């Protein structure tokens, strides 16, 4: 595990105050932990391609971020885009060559739909036609997240019902998700 540290940032930017960092280039450093970027409140450009990042969550604190380069990392799920949705100044995102982008026919449409402020995805400008297409065919990650949460709550309620039944009626009840059934002797 390689962690991005304040010392590394100072060495690369020659700026001692984290609030003064505007640009940071740490591509190819095999980084896995970049939590220190949360302290870069005024950063406008982050180049973190060719690392081993698995999440985009730390970037949500970079409110002035305009350009984010994270290609060739280990971002598995497009759901990670949720962390970028409130970055209103984000205009360029390069996420290609991550597992979430590989073999996904709706990758670009999903990025555009969920990050409508972005003007360039993977170094290709977003057209108005693409935006319209993205609204029709891109996956709405917010709805998907709400559905996942609904499903988890439902499973939790079913388990609670089972626990109450098992407590009052004994072990003849068997818990099976989405299907609480009485066991036949």
């Amino acid at each position: 595990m390689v962690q991005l540290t304040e010392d590394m940032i100072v060495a690369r930017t020659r700026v001692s105050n984290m609030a003064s960092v505007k640009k940071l280039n740490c591509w190819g450093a095999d980084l896995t932990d970049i939590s220190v970027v949360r302290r870069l409140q005024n950063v406008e450009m982050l180049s973190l391609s060719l690392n081993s990042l698995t999440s985009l969550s730390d970037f949500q604190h970079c409110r002035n971020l305009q350009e984010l380069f994270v290609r060739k990392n280990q971002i598995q799920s497009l759901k990670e885009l949720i962390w970028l949705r409130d970055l209103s100044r984000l205009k360029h995102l390069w996420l290609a060559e991550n597992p979430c982008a590989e073999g996904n026919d709706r990758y670009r449409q999903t990025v555009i739909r969920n990050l409508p402020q972005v003007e360039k995805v993977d170094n290709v400008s977003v057209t108005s036609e693409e935006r319209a297409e993205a609204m029709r065919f891109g996956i709405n990650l917010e709805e998907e997240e709400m559905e996942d949460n609904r499903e988890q709550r439902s499973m939790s309620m079913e388990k609670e019902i089972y626990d109450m039944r098992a407590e009052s009626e004994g072990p003849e009840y068997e818990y099976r998700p989405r299907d609480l059934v009485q066991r036949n002797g």
Side-chain angles (χ1 to χ4, degrees):
M1 179 172 125
V2 180
Q3 181 177 21
L4 179 63
T5 64
E6 194 170 317
D7 288 341
M8 291 170 72
I9 294 171
V10 169
R12 289 180 185 253
T13 63
R14 295 178 179 77
V15 174
S16 58
N17 179 357
M18 294 296 104
S20 299
V21 175
K22 298 283 187 190
K23 295 181 179 187
L24 177 62
N25 186 345
C26 287
W27 68 270
D30 203 28
L31 298 170
T32 55
D33 180 349
I34 57 160
S35 54
V36 71
V37 302
R38 295 172 179 207
R39 298 185 43 221
L40 303 178
Q41 304 152 351
N42 296 310
V43 70
E44 296 173 355
M45 191 281 296
L46 287 170
S47 179
L48 294 162
S49 295
L50 290 116
N51 281 292
S52 297
L53 307 180
T54 59
S55 177
L56 301 175
S57 63
D58 292 317
F59 301 119
Q60 70 181 312
H61 304 281
C62 303
R63 297 295 181 184
N64 290 309
L65 191 60
Q66 297 172 25
E67 299 176 87
L68 179 59
F69 303 96
V70 287
R71 69 185 190 90
K72 290 190 176 183
N73 274 281
Q74 296 301 315
I75 310 298
Q76 300 292 321
S77 172
L78 284 176
K79 289 181 182 180
E80 289 293 321
L81 293 172
I82 299 258
W83 300 111
L84 307 179
R85 69 179 164 205
D86 292 331
L87 301 180
S88 60
R89 296 181 178 175
L90 184 64
K91 301 300 177 206
H92 301 163
L93 174 64
W94 202 331
L95 187 62
E97 300 175 80
N98 275 282
C100 65
E102 302 297 314
N104 186 337
D105 294 342
R106 297 196 293 175
Y107 157 72
R108 187 171 169 86
Q109 294 167 336
T110 300
V111 171
I112 295 166
R113 178 173 183 149
N114 289 278
L115 302 175
Q117 73 275 28
V118 172
E119 297 170 358
K120 263 188 175 181
V121 176
D122 301 333
N123 209 30
V124 177
S125 295
V126 176
T127 65
S128 55
E129 293 83 13
E130 271 187 302
R131 284 197 194 287
E133 195 175 287
M135 293 310 291
R136 289 181 45 214
F137 302 114
I139 298 166
N140 184 338
L141 298 174
E142 198 167 322
E143 281 180 10
E144 198 171 274
E145 181 181 42
M146 287 174 24
E147 181 59 35
D148 288 348
N149 290 340
R150 220 179 349 261
E151 197 171 299
Q152 287 174 351
R153 281 193 305 273
S154 176
M155 296 288 285
S156 179
M157 286 174 49
E158 287 177 6
K159 179 74 170 107
E160 230 175 276
I161 291 168
Y162 164 76
D163 289 344
M164 289 176 9
R165 277 186 173 172
E167 188 176 302
S168 66
E169 298 185 31
E172 67 270 5
Y173 285 92
E174 176 183 327
Y175 174 71
R176 287 191 284 166
R178 297 255 180 242
D179 185 14
L180 293 176
V181 294
Q182 184 173 7
R183 208 187 306 166
N184 293 326

